[in-house]
């Protein structure tokens, strides 16, 4: 889903500068950055993804500062995040910068700038897994499945995503 949201960003940008506010420089986050950047490049080879780490999942002020610093240093017109704070989306809405969310469809909260989001519906994984544990059928395993499971999806496109982008995705 990060790759697909990267396609949206790559097709939406006019400045060819896209921002990515990430919580930590760890493999999980870096995989998401790489997937997003590959999607951007597939759709727009001239675009660049600028990454800044906030070193916090939840600290609103730290994520806001990281977002502001990124915007101050680059001509970003599309921004995304991998953190659990909505600071980046709040700032994007305030400044009229296109945004791509994380974990939730925030179309209603950010009606002027929100494009889509990578969404995880963890209950679709954890509920069946916990039931197996309760039944004593717990099996240690790696879980790596795709969109067909419903665990990962792309939020519906907002009205700001044009039909060409929707068709490409």
């Amino acid at each position: 889903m990060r790759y697909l949201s990267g396609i949206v960003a790559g097709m939406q940008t006019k400045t060819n500068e896209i921002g990515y506010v990430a919580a930590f420089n760890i493999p999980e986050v870096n995989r998401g950055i790489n997937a997003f950047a590959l999607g951007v490049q597939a759709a727009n080879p001239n675009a660049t993804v600028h990454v800044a780490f906030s070193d916090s999942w939840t600290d609103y002020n730290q994520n806001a500062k990281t977002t502001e610093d990124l915007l101050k240093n680059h001509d970003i017109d599309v921004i995304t995040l991998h953190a659990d704070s909505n600071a980046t989306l709040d700032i994007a809405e305030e400044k009229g910068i296109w945004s791509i969310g994380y974990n939730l469809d925030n179309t209603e909260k950010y009606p002027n700038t929100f494009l889509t989001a990578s969404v995880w519906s963890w209950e679709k994984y954890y509920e069946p897994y916990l039931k197996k544990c309760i039944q004593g059928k717990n099996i240690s395993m790696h879980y790596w499945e795709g969109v067909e499971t419903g665990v990962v999806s792309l939020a519906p496109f907002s009205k700001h995503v044009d039909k060409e982008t929707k068709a490409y995705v």
Side-chain angles (χ1 to χ4, degrees), residues 18-142:
I18 298 166
Y20 199 116
V21 176
F24 293 99
N25 186 3
I26 59 174
E28 173 198 352
V29 175
N30 291 332
R31 275 194 313 267
I33 294 167
N34 290 338
F36 181 83
L38 288 169
V40 167
Q41 290 298 297
N44 182 350
N46 297 316
T48 300
V49 178
H50 301 282
V51 179
F53 294 97
S54 66
D55 296 323
S56 174
W57 292 112
T58 59
D59 186 315
Y60 186 93
N61 292 331
Q62 186 59 35
N63 279 284
K65 181 184 180 318
T66 303
T67 302
E68 292 286 1
D69 289 347
L70 198 56
L71 295 175
K72 182 173 52 175
N73 293 313
H74 304 283
D75 189 18
I76 291 168
D77 64 346
V78 181
I79 197 162
T80 191
L81 70 152
H82 188 158
D84 294 323
S85 161
N86 279 348
T88 301
L89 300 177
D90 288 343
I91 291 167
E93 184 77 6
E94 176 185 306
K95 295 182 182 270
I97 296 168
W98 298 117
S99 66
I100 293 175
Y102 171 67
N103 265 346
L104 297 170
D105 176 5
N106 278 310
T107 306
E108 290 184 24
K109 187 169 182 180
Y110 305 105
N112 300 311
T113 59
F114 193 80
L115 300 171
T116 189
S118 299
V119 177
W120 282 258
S121 301
W122 285 110
E123 71 279 2
K124 292 180 180 173
Y125 167 74
Y126 282 114
E127 287 177 12
Y129 185 76
L130 291 172
K131 285 179 184 174
K132 286 181 184 177
C133 290
I134 291 168
Q135 297 168 353
K137 298 177 183 174
N138 179 20
I139 300 170
S140 179
M141 64 178 183
H142 291 286

Side-chain angles (χ1 to χ4, degrees), residues 1-7 35-36 117-120 146-147 152-155:
M1 295 307 117
R2 293 278 189 190
Y3 179 87
L4 296 177
S5 67
I7 289 172
F36 181 83
S118 299
V119 177
W120 282 258
V147 69
V152 295
S153 63
L154 201 59

